[in-house]
């Protein structure tokens, strides 16, 4: 069943989905599966799996010089998606991204996903490399999510990227995209950012999942403006309760989201990680209750470094 079908079939009921990271290279799946074991009791609609391509790391050599090497710290998104789907029977939605991938790489990802019977995707540009000041596409790769969408659409039509017909086309892919209630940090303004979201919808995106936010008013304003611009697809709010003191400053900086003044005043009173975690759980719970009260029945949780906090929020809601 596609994600949009799951969303449509769940109307009137309160559901959630959540995102997980593939395990670090060589660390096994125990921690990941423990997360899913903790969350599966709440009957998630689907599980979203991030993907991370290689990055440069610097290693000091015996002569004191630094050697730059490419390392992929979290391989296995497709394999992890298949493992989750097979082990738990929960629909999965792996990320497919432009960053670090050529058109050919993406084509092989799509083929592997078809072989595994995985047809729900989240299509993203991906983050820029840490060493770059702006996003630079991989040679032979895509610069924009819209280019990636066009490749997937062409694949769904039965053609490889070079125009060669696919002899035995498999099940078509359905996909969603990301959106940013407080604007993507590289967009010149919110209106242009939303214009690109409208283009993604027009190219076939069936829903959008927001970047995390702590101020519901910004989500409500974003959805209202989206509807005015002709964006009709479901816009699933993304929520992440902060779970330790460091996240109070790191999360807004990393994800370019504001902390509301009411929350900030309470946050600075926290003396320990446990106090911050409890505040984060309380705030996220109230966020979700307010979203439910406004007719939002599907919420997406970001669980990285916050699995226990998300589970506590889910207990209070469902």
């Amino acid at each position: 069943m596609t994600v949009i079908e799951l969303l449509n079939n769940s109307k009137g009921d309160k559901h959630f989905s959540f995102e997980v990271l593939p395990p670090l290279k060589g660390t096994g799946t125990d921690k990941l599966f423990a997360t899913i074991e903790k969350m599966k009791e709440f009957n998630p609609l689907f599980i979203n799996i991030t993907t991370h391509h290689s990055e440069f790391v610097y290693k000091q050599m015996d002569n004191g010089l630094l050697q730059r090497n490419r390392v992929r710290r979290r391989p296995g998104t497709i394999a992890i998606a298949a493992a989750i789907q097979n082990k738990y029977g929960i629909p999965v939605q792996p990320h497919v991204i432009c960053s670090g991938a050529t058109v050919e790489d993406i084509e092989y990802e799509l083929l592997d996903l078809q072989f595994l019977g995985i047809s729900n995707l989240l299509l993203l540009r991906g983050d820029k490399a840490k060493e770059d000041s702006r996003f630079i596409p991989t040679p032979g790769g895509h610069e924009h999510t819209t280019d990636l969408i066009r490749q997937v659409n062409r694949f769904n039509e039965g053609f490889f990227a070079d125009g060669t017909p696919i002899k035995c086309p498999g099940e078509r892919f359905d996909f969603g995209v990301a959106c940013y209630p407080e604007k993507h940090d590289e967009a010149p303004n919110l209106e242009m950012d939303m214009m690109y979201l409208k283009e993604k919808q027009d190219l076939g995106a069936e829903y959008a999942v927001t970047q995390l936010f702590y101020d519901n008013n910004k989500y409500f304003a974003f959805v209202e403006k989206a509807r005015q611009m002709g964006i009709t697809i479901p816009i699933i709010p993304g929520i992440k309760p902060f779970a330790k003191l460091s996240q109070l400053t790191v999360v807004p900086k990393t994800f370019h989201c504001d902390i509301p003044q009411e929350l900030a005043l309470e946050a600075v009173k926290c003396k320990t990680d446990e106090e911050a975690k409890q505040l984060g759980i309380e705030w996220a719970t109230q966020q979700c209750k307010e979203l439910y009260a406004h007719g939002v029945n599907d919420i997406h949780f970001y669980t990285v470094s916050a699995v226990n906090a998300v589970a506590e929020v889910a207990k209070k809601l469902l």
Side-chain angles (χ1 to χ4, degrees):
M1 188 175 290
T2 67
V3 167
I4 193 64
E5 289 172 340
L6 291 168
L7 294 172
N8 289 335
N9 290 344
S10 70
K11 282 185 177 178
D13 298 323
K14 295 176 176 62
H15 289 283
F16 75 91
S17 54
F18 66 93
E19 178 180 283
V20 295
L21 284 172
L24 286 166
K25 180 180 178 181
T27 59
T29 58
D30 289 352
K31 186 175 180 181
L32 172 66
F33 288 159
T35 295
I36 297 170
E37 291 288 344
K38 187 181 291 288
M39 302 302 296
K40 72 175 184 178
E41 66 178 283
F42 306 113
N43 298 315
L45 281 184
F46 61 90
I47 299 175
N48 177 302
I49 304 101
T50 67
T51 190
H52 299 263
H53 286 290
S54 58
E55 59 186 79
F56 285 118
V57 296
Y58 294 86
K59 180 180 180 181
Q60 187 168 3
M61 298 185 294
D62 293 339
N63 60 9
L65 297 176
L66 294 177
Q67 183 181 55
R68 189 170 79 161
N69 299 315
R70 273 203 173 274
V71 174
R72 190 172 180 188
R73 297 181 183 274
R74 294 183 185 273
T77 294
I78 293 175
I80 286 297
I84 293 171
Q85 186 164 271
N86 290 335
K87 184 176 177 68
Y88 296 100
I90 301 172
V92 291
Q93 182 200 52
H95 291 191
V96 175
I97 65 176
C98 304
S99 179
T102 66
V103 169
E104 185 178 39
D105 292 333
I106 292 166
E107 196 160 81
Y108 284 123
E109 288 180 34
L110 298 178
L111 287 167
D112 285 345
L113 288 162
Q114 271 193 340
F115 293 154
L116 293 166
I118 296 171
S119 58
N120 292 310
L121 311 176
L122 192 70
L123 302 183
L124 309 165
R125 189 200 69 179
D127 297 330
K128 66 179 181 65
K130 292 179 180 178
E131 65 272 10
D132 294 332
S133 60
R134 61 180 179 82
F135 182 81
I136 299 175
T138 296
H142 296 306
E143 185 171 3
H144 303 291
T145 307
T146 48
D147 300 323
L148 173 58
I149 291 174
R150 289 186 179 94
Q151 180 179 354
V152 173
N153 284 342
R154 190 70 170 143
F155 194 95
N156 280 341
E157 292 165 0
F159 295 93
F160 291 119
D162 64 0
T164 304
I166 302 173
K167 292 183 179 179
C168 298
E171 185 177 356
R172 62 170 281 115
F173 291 104
D174 297 274
F175 56 88
V177 294
C179 62
Y180 303 84
E182 298 174 69
K183 184 182 80 65
H184 191 282
D185 65 297
E186 296 176 29
N189 54 62
L190 184 59
E191 288 74 15
M192 184 166 287
D193 201 21
M194 296 179 77
M195 182 184 73
Y196 293 135
L197 177 58
K198 174 66 163 58
E199 183 179 3
K200 293 170 189 176
Q201 172 188 273
D202 294 344
L203 287 169
E206 295 184 316
Y207 53 92
V209 182
T210 77
Q211 179 62 280
L212 60 90
F213 60 89
Y214 294 98
D215 186 344
N216 282 357
N217 288 328
K218 293 189 176 181
Y219 169 79
F220 296 138
F222 179 83
V223 173
E224 182 179 0
K225 190 173 185 64
R227 302 311 182 217
Q228 292 170 355
M229 293 180 64
I231 299 169
T232 59
I233 57 176
I235 298 175
I236 305 171
I239 300 295
K240 180 176 182 176
F242 52 82
K244 51 187 177 181
L245 284 169
S246 61
Q247 292 176 355
L248 299 175
T249 52
V250 171
V251 169
K253 180 179 178 181
T254 303
F255 297 101
H256 308 282
C257 59
D258 287 340
I259 296 287
Q261 179 68 350
E262 180 185 354
L263 176 57
L265 290 173
E266 292 301 314
V268 296
K269 298 176 186 177
C270 296
K271 304 298 183 185
T272 65
D273 282 345
E274 184 58 31
E275 288 180 4
K277 176 183 174 182
Q278 292 306 314
L279 176 61
I281 291 170
E282 180 181 344
W283 186 269
T285 300
Q286 294 308 312
Q287 268 193 282
C288 294
K289 287 182 176 180
E290 185 180 27
L291 289 165
Y292 286 153
H294 280 73
V296 176
N297 292 324
D298 301 292
I299 293 174
H300 188 69
F301 285 114
Y302 295 101
T303 66
V304 178
S305 302
V307 175
N308 292 331
V310 169
E312 288 299 317
V313 174
K315 286 178 185 178
K316 293 174 182 291
L317 296 173
L318 302 178

